[in-house]
Amino acid sequence: STMRRAVLLSVSDRTGLAPLARHFSKNGFVLLTTGGTGKALTDEGIEYLPIGEYTGQREILDGRVKTLHPKIHGGILARRGTESHMAELEASEIL
């Protein structure tokens, strides 16, 4: 089976962002982004998935909390070699 892969892009300095994003995109990665980073990608014609659409959670605390969510950190912290972890990721629809 093909493993779905995602990369989280959220940067304040957008220098070099477009080539990096294009590299990930052409290599099969889904680009998850926060608001300002997503706008910069839109300006470059690069497709992405807003993180809020993926998690179902809006940004809170003046945008200070936007990536802290089980759908993000579950994917980061899961032990890929542990069958129960992978089953939980699948059940939770985590990329």
Side-chain angles (χ1 to χ4, degrees):
S1 74
T2 301
M3 180 183 294
R4 296 183 300 169
R5 300 175 291 176
V7 64
L8 173 61
L9 296 173
S10 179
V11 296
S12 56
D13 180 349
R14 299 191 172 79
T15 305
L17 174 64
L20 179 66
R22 282 190 184 95
H23 171 78
F24 282 123
S25 184
K26 78 176 184 179
N27 285 289
F29 286 83
V30 172
L31 304 178
L32 297 174
T33 68
T34 54
T37 300
K39 182 185 179 324
L41 294 182
T42 295
D43 293 346
E44 293 289 334
I46 300 169
E47 291 186 21
Y48 63 92
L49 177 62
I51 198 162
E53 282 186 30
Y54 175 63
T55 63
Q57 176 67 46
R58 65 179 177 80
E59 294 181 10
I60 61 171
L61 304 179
D62 299 321
R64 295 183 65 220
V65 177
K66 48 193 149 203
T67 63
L68 295 173
H69 191 279
K71 281 194 154 188
I72 301 301
H73 287 83
I76 293 170
L77 297 173
R79 291 188 173 125
R80 300 290 170 176
T82 303
E83 200 171 304
S84 63
H85 284 207
M86 299 312 291
E88 285 185 72
L89 292 182
E90 188 172 330
S92 298
E93 298 179 356
I94 295 174
L95 288 176

